[in-house]
Amino acid sequence: MWRAAAMSWVDIMLHRRYVSSVMGQLATSQSFEMQPMKRGEICGVPEEYRTRLQALQTRIRVYQPFLAELKSASSGRYPDEDSLEESLPKLEQAVERWMSHIRLPSKKIRVLETRLFESRFLIQCLGNIPDHSFVLETFSNASRYRPFIGVGRAENLEGLSRDSRVMMQMYPFPVKRKSSDEPDTVFVGLFAAEHAAQLERNLRASGVRFARIPSSLRGSPEQAMIALRGDIQVMEKHVGALQSEIAWHSEKDRIAMWVNQMQYWLWLVEVMRSAVCDAHFVRICGWVPDRNLTALEAALQQSNSPYLLQTSPPQDHGEPPV
């Protein structure tokens, strides 16, 4: 049977000058699981800084997939020397520099990934059509029509096959699908160009997957699949080269370190919003699992900063979080 972890309420009193280094140590040890008290003004930290940090986080999130391979643990450190006021402009400049280097290659990767997805889908469709059913030049030469191919359930395609704005042929999958919800039919044909947008919306609304047939494809379905597989290999190599370029810039710009700093400052600002301050001291309170109390005190000792630590039973402070 699952049981909630035993919790204690912790009060930590620090001198202002040591807050940054102590918080860095606590963040590294992951021993302090702060649960916010009453929200108020950020203790000693302008609200503007929090807004700027959140804006940076939003911008970086767009490029998060390109950070997955970085060794952030070995590349990062916490800003225990600079104050937030000193660190934030450096952080913003570093992120902007990195983004200026990777913006174009990341855009190219997204375009290539879309083309890769479409090419694999075309192979899936063509692989379920008898090889000598048609040649693709038939569609590329129809200037007044938009060629398309897709997969769906036969019952969802019957209405489309009777539409006067559409010329299409349906091919049942050679291997019957196990689930009644899975597609069982490939369809290929032409939309009247002036009605293409509306017909495509209708297909999407009915849950039918489809793609336009590129004018570059030639020959039988089998010949087209061979050409598509060759295109896929070329595109995958190109994506790999672009990913290497991004990784090189990321290491050169030390972006993992800056992202670590950003995450640290965001964490610290959130904690400080719940802290109580005066001219010289900062009091930070929160719940800590009992199993982490030893690690918490060890982290405070390793910070080499003076502190006061007091624990009290949870019943003195209401219900602990579950």
Side-chain angles (χ1 to χ4, degrees):
M1 181 178 178
W2 179 85
R3 295 183 179 178
M7 306 283 279
S8 293
W9 181 263
V10 172
D11 286 273
I12 305 173
M13 184 72 75
L14 304 167
H15 193 281
R16 278 178 173 272
R17 74 172 66 177
Y18 300 112
V19 167
S20 180
S21 60
V22 170
M23 286 301 160
Q25 191 64 44
L26 295 182
T28 304
S29 69
Q30 299 180 344
S31 59
F32 187 61
E33 299 182 10
M34 175 72 186
Q35 295 294 324
M37 299 164 58
K38 181 180 177 181
R39 292 293 188 187
E41 293 296 321
I42 302 175
C43 181
V45 181
E47 179 69 25
E48 173 204 352
Y49 290 174
R50 177 171 174 265
T51 302
R52 287 164 65 183
L53 285 166
Q54 289 177 331
L56 273 180
Q57 185 181 44
T58 300
R59 295 181 69 192
I60 288 175
R61 191 175 289 127
V62 176
Y63 299 97
Q64 196 65 38
F66 304 113
L67 293 172
E69 300 301 321
L70 294 180
K71 298 178 180 178
S72 58
S74 62
S75 304
R77 65 173 180 84
Y78 291 101
D80 52 3
E81 297 177 0
D82 291 344
S83 66
L84 175 55
E85 183 179 8
E86 295 168 326
S87 180
L88 186 52
K90 299 176 186 177
L91 176 57
E92 289 170 327
Q93 292 168 11
V95 169
E96 181 56 42
R97 181 172 59 250
W98 174 68
M99 290 177 65
S100 71
H101 290 153
I102 73 159
R103 191 173 286 116
L104 183 58
S106 64
K107 183 178 180 180
K108 290 179 179 178
I109 286 176
R110 292 191 177 97
V111 171
L112 286 167
E113 286 176 341
T114 299
R115 289 176 57 195
L116 282 166
F117 178 83
E118 292 173 349
S119 296
R120 292 175 181 129
F121 177 66
L122 286 170
I123 288 175
Q124 176 192 350
C125 295
L126 292 167
N128 286 289
I129 296 176
D131 188 37
H132 299 292
S133 302
F134 60 86
V135 292
L136 278 88
E137 289 90 330
T138 304
F139 302 102
S140 60
N141 293 330
S143 58
R144 293 181 57 248
Y145 295 89
R146 299 278 176 81
F148 65 93
I149 190 170
V151 294
R153 298 290 300 172
E155 58 265 29
N156 295 338
L157 298 170
E158 289 178 0
L160 183 66
S161 66
R162 294 192 296 268
D163 195 313
S164 61
R165 298 168 296 177
V166 177
M167 293 185 293
M168 64 179 286
Q169 179 66 44
M170 295 192 293
Y171 302 91
F173 281 10
V175 179
K176 192 173 182 179
R177 295 306 194 216
K178 296 179 181 179
S179 170
S180 60
D181 296 329
E182 293 185 33
D184 61 5
T185 302
V186 177
F187 60 96
V188 61
L190 300 167
F191 286 155
E194 62 270 25
H195 303 298
Q198 180 61 52
L199 290 166
E200 289 177 2
R201 284 195 293 269
N202 293 346
L203 283 177
R204 291 191 184 96
S206 62
V208 174
R209 291 181 60 197
F210 69 96
R212 293 184 182 179
I213 300 176
S215 58
S216 58
L217 288 183
R218 294 286 187 270
S220 68
E222 181 62 32
Q223 291 170 326
M225 286 192 292
I226 292 172
L228 286 167
R229 291 188 184 104
D231 291 342
I232 287 173
Q233 289 182 344
V234 172
M235 287 189 285
E236 287 176 338
K237 288 181 179 179
H238 194 182
V239 168
L242 290 167
Q243 288 173 336
S244 296
E245 180 183 347
I246 289 174
W248 184 84
H249 282 298
S250 298
E251 293 295 336
K252 180 175 178 289
D253 295 335
R254 304 180 70 192
I255 191 61
M257 180 197 75
W258 293 109
V259 170
N260 272 2
Q261 289 200 1
M262 179 197 70
Q263 292 170 340
Y264 161 73
W265 283 121
L266 279 167
W267 177 81
L268 177 59
V269 166
E270 285 303 307
V271 171
M272 296 303 289
R273 291 182 77 202
S274 303
V276 178
C277 302
D278 66 13
H280 302 288
F281 295 96
V282 176
R283 173 177 173 255
I284 300 170
C285 315
W287 296 100
V288 176
D290 287 351
R291 65 176 181 271
N292 286 354
L293 286 172
T294 301
L296 172 63
E297 188 155 14
L300 288 168
Q301 291 173 353
Q302 290 172 15
S303 69
N304 295 320
S305 305
Y307 68 91
L308 292 174
L309 173 67
Q310 178 178 340
T311 62
S312 52
Q315 57 265 31
D316 295 344
H317 299 276
E319 292 293 325
V322 176

